[in-house]
Amino acid sequence: MSVSVAVFASGGGSNFQSLLDYQPEDCSGRIELLISDRPDAGALQRAEKAGIQTRIIPVKNRSQDAVGLETLEALEQNEIHVILLAGYLRLIPPVIIQAYPRLILNIHPALLPSFGGKGMWGRHVHEAVLASGASVTGPTIHFVDEEYDTGAILAQWPVPVMSGDTPETLAARVLKVEHLLYPRAAEYLCRAVERGVQAEPLKLPADAVSVAEAFSPETVAGQIDAAFRAAEG
Ligand code: GRF
């Protein structure tokens, strides 16, 4: 059985693209549907190009119940098992959270629980990281609950903050690691779903920070793969 996945995106969709592009052997997850709240989301074009079904579900000026029921119907029609938020800027209605317990992931571009919550998206996150003087940041993958950025953490990966960083340079460095971490975390969850086991939080290898400092995508990708393999036991 393969695990059917829906991605929710409001923006350009570079994370969605990284999910589409990641196709390891014996892949458990299969992206079947892209849902967006915005008709101008770049992610929609990426989905059309990849032959993935799309659905626009507006959220503005609608009740959470109305959005939730329309969303649930689209998910049920496509027999979706797992939901991945990839730059989706809306709260997920309670009816969806209840229907998908520990089956919805989000990616956040900083190390939660710091630098999260309402209003903490895009440039604001990286500005806050720089203002704090933190020397390490990096993406967080977490399960989604009814609030912003508060669900249980599944995986995080370090990215160094460098002197002279601007919000833009820092965002670009973090985004590269988002594109490595999210597809692997999503596939890890899909494998757990397929096997009927709980996906346990990822443990960072001791040298993750030093490797991240000498950033090479291949090395970091290899380290992330090894950490997920270790988490599967
Ligand atoms: C990413 O930085 C992600 O962490 C956050 O929203 C941004 C989406 O970027 N949740 P993209 O649309 O995937 O390029």
Side-chain angles (χ1 to χ4, degrees):
M1 162 206 147
S2 70
V3 176
S4 300
V5 175
V7 179
F8 289 23
S10 304
S14 72
N15 274 289
F16 171 52
Q17 189 68 51
S18 77
L19 293 163
L20 286 174
D21 292 345
Y22 183 69
Q23 289 174 358
E25 245 176 70
D26 302 325
C27 196
S28 296
R30 209 180 52 235
I31 298 174
E32 300 281 5
L33 178 66
L34 176 80
I35 292 184
S36 184
D37 57 315
R38 301 180 53 144
D40 59 347
L44 289 166
Q45 275 119 52
R46 295 181 192 266
E48 278 151 25
K49 205 165 158 206
I52 305 288
Q53 207 188 315
T54 62
R55 182 89 178 247
I56 298 166
I57 302 184
V59 170
K60 223 175 171 180
N61 302 325
R62 297 179 74 197
S63 72
Q64 271 210 325
D65 285 352
V67 173
L69 290 177
E70 187 180 344
T71 307
L72 194 59
E73 189 193 69
L75 296 171
E76 282 173 358
Q77 265 171 16
N78 289 276
E79 298 181 20
I80 297 297
H81 304 114
V82 163
I83 300 171
L84 306 174
L85 310 187
Y88 185 72
L89 296 175
R90 305 289 184 167
L91 280 180
I92 299 300
V95 67
I96 306 294
I97 305 283
Q98 280 146 27
Y100 287 86
R102 281 182 82 90
L103 292 169
I104 311 176
L105 292 179
N106 179 44
I107 183 159
H108 183 78
L111 298 174
L112 293 174
S114 300
F115 313 114
K118 195 168 173 6
M120 275 297 194
W121 56 275
R123 186 190 168 90
H124 306 293
V125 177
H126 304 290
E127 278 171 351
V129 170
L130 289 174
S132 77
S135 59
V136 179
T137 182
T140 299
I141 314 285
H142 64 94
F143 290 104
V144 172
D145 61 17
E146 291 171 22
E147 309 293 329
Y148 286 110
D149 304 326
T150 54
I153 292 172
L154 182 65
Q156 298 185 302
W157 208 264
V159 172
V161 179
M162 292 182 175
S163 68
D165 260 337
T166 62
E168 289 73 24
T169 59
L170 188 56
R173 193 174 312 117
V174 173
L175 193 63
K176 282 189 193 156
V177 179
E178 292 184 40
H179 294 163
L180 298 175
L181 185 64
Y182 204 13
R184 289 169 174 81
E187 182 57 18
Y188 172 67
L189 175 63
C190 289
R191 280 198 302 272
V193 169
E194 206 171 28
R195 290 160 54 200
V197 299
Q198 175 129 325
E200 297 297 336
L202 190 72
K203 289 196 186 72
L204 273 186
D207 60 347
V209 175
S210 55
V211 170
E213 271 164 13
F215 184 81
S216 126
E218 292 74 25
T219 316
V220 174
Q223 253 196 334
I224 295 173
D225 282 332
F228 279 117
R229 273 199 304 276
E232 277 172 342

